Amino acid sequence: MGGRGRGRGRGKPMSFDIESLGFQNKKELPKSKEEPPPLYPPLEFKPVSLQEGEEADYLLALKQEFRGSMRESPYFIKPQSTKRDIERYSDKYQLNGQNKGQGLGWTPNWNTFPKELRIREKKPKRLKVSVKPSLSVTKVKAKGQKSDSKEAENKLKQILQTEEDGDDDEDEDEEEKKKKEAEGEEEEEEEFYDDEDIEEGTDYALSYFDNGEDYLDADDDALEDGPVY
Amino acid sequence: MAKGLQVGTGSSTVAYENLGRRRKQFVYVPVLRLNSMAQSQVRLGGLLLQHQYGEIVENVGAFLAAKGSFTLKDIAEGTKLGMNEVKKALCVLIQHNMMDFERNRRGILEYTIHINKVLFVTRYPRYIYCAKTLYGDVGEFLVEELLSHGQMLMSQVCRRVSERITQALEGQSVDELKVRKTFVELVETHFLQRVAAPPSDSADKEDEETELQIKEKEMFLIPPAMDIDYGKVNPTVSSSGKRKREDGEEGDKVAKRPRSTSPLSDEKNEDAPDKGVYWHINFTRFHQFFRDQAVLSALNSKIDRYACEIVRTMLRVSEKTTVPLAPTTHPMSSHEIFQSLPPELDLNRQTLGEYLTLLAEDKTEIVNKAGESGGGMYILNMQKALETLCKASIESVVQERFGSKCSRIFRLLLMKRHLEQKQVEDMAMIPAKEAKELLYKLFSENFVTMQEIPKTPDHAPSRTFYLFGINMHQVSRMLLDRCYKAMGNLISRREHENTENRRLVEKSQRVDAISASLQSSGADTTQMSEVEEMITPPERQQLNKLKHDINKLEQSELQLDETIFLLESYLPGSEAMVLY
């Protein structure tokens, strides 16, 4: 709609010719809108009613059921429960939610899935390597028990070997992870070791303690038998 | 620093912005700018993901849909979610066939979401119902299981379905072989297909995950271990008692439908005989079926059921010779059609010939006569059929929204293609002023386009033709955009209704739970009525109204989806009808 040279010169020049549209004078033109369109445009005629019938009802039932079952399925990823306002001492002993959300809940076909999406399950390490014993010290002290110390030494060496092998694998894994993932991952792992220490360290039954915080938000169980809207 | 280069690529523009990285390296990454249709698709997709898979998946999905393909790290940064959560979300999306991944130039995997596949979620009930009509309850359960899990092994899905049926029938056990037979039938008619897998002979492990391919002939091949021939198979029916069963039945309308959504990892699929061969739904085939159904029912109501049966036969005949979803079929002779007609129709050759002529001369051009050999060669033009259906839909939209006079003008323009304003007035037999008003209303709502044709070089308005016409593609696209928005609105409205009444709904659920437990422990009527009275009559009324409203909203969604499907199938490039 090129309109540069065409205005009649009267009043506000417009890019189209009013007369050819059928309007005699400018006042009959509908007003131009100067605001965004309304949120609900006016509905002039009432819409036609929905289809009824057995098929429609069955489809509706299917839909609602499907939706309900998908909510319960492991594919529905619930956001991790929000942290409480203050860190409590008892949090370390809670078994309920700390590590539950870690795993995927179902097994994908890893042949066709990218390997980097594997979430490393945090298995407790069987042997924790802290400090390599310094054998030179024992040698100096126990002169008379040289043979014994040698046996002990060999045994220790064997144990260390197996630990190191396990270590090496995990070191490699960690290096790979460093390349690909955020640093937060490693911090989580280190934290996990602390947790593990503590978990092993107590003599008390860990499931004994209940701080009563579940009372207010355990509505999930009540929802099982009811209808889903 | 370059602010933004804009590169237009058809329906969306790509702008290059720089993203500052941690170590102050400036990297240019393409960023998508979405047009209106894509925006409404993304919004709708986000809502669907949220209700189906939770907010985390929605965050990841919406991020990828709006911004393009990204690596794992970038997604975690962009969505501000934890790495584990992002990984889980990506796994879910891949499992449900909504996501692809490939290596970028730097060798890192980039993930892309296909929003059109997310939008199929609105159609799930229709797929399930279709399977029910074609293959009975077994087919229905098979499709339902596959839809809820995305991809499964044949052995897994058959086992789950046979257990479900056994439960539903309360004791009478169902032969798993029967379930397998139905599965095979579904595969043979291409409703199910195999998932692409890495080629078995790939030596390079690095590229395994990106070399997913599926050979044409393998797509529908049942692995030999799952052969339904009795002699060859060792039945692997196992009574897995350790699997937890989900007995939650939502909605009392359908009684016998226990659903088991226990995680797949619980099952013993390490020793499944068909390990590694995963199946998923072939949506395209369902879409083709829906399309055919729509065309046939239109013919049924327009002409009569004989015409409908004849065209159905033509479709069947053409299946062997034509690529699926081709716009027109291969020519087929009248003799062929006659031979393939179902005997109960009892048509003789002459009547068939008359019907074919009638169809060929019909202005919808669904059937075309291509030659005289073999008693007359006929072609089915499905593209034209879809166009006719779309036109009818849009006509009815115009009628319901603007009135029947507008609809008359619309139909006139469809028929005559280009008309001047004066001609519209005359032909539509509507008084001039009213015709002008209606025409311009249609024009302002973009149902009608205008073309200027100057008579003189100076484009003087009094000496220019202004021709009004209808561009079907443009109108369909506009309507489809509106439909996506409407669907999104329906879903958010439903969500709103739920949140508004959440307290009441929870209360009623608690009451139901209490009364159910009372009932099972054998309480008397006074206790039961006490429990019932915990919900006051106005609350009960409110609950009923809520239920009624939500049902209405959901039904609207289902029926809106029919229009969406029609428009999507008609428009080229909309990927409802793409061969996967």
Side-chain angles (χ1 to χ4, degrees), chain A residues 58 63 67 101 105 107 116 223, chain B residues 88 111 140 263 265 494 509:
Chain A
Y58 194 74
K63 183 175 203 283
R67 213 200 15 234
T107 323
E116 64 178 11
L223 294 180
Chain B
K88 282 192 219 174
Y111 297 90
E140 180 190 0
S265 55
R494 177 164 40 96
Q509 281 167 347

Side-chain angles (χ1 to χ4, degrees), chain B residues 566-579:
Chain B
L566 202 58
L567 291 170
E568 273 181 358
S569 318
Y570 167 63
L571 284 172
S574 63
E575 294 193 55
M577 307 289 252
V578 168
L579 276 175

Side-chain angles (χ1 to χ4, degrees), chain A residues 21-70:
Chain A
L21 288 176
F23 295 105
Q24 282 346 85
N25 55 17
K26 208 178 90 172
K27 289 192 191 123
E28 282 178 25
L29 279 175
K31 295 211 178 73
S32 58
K33 296 217 174 107
E34 282 156 11
E35 52 185 19
L39 193 57
Y40 289 106
L43 194 64
E44 285 178 12
F45 304 99
K46 195 162 156 48
V48 181
S49 55
L50 294 171
Q51 287 172 8
E52 305 282 323
E54 224 182 274
E55 189 180 322
D57 288 338
Y58 194 74
L59 281 172
L60 181 64
L62 274 177
K63 183 175 203 283
Q64 288 177 333
E65 247 193 55
F66 192 84
R67 213 200 15 234
S69 60
M70 278 316 280

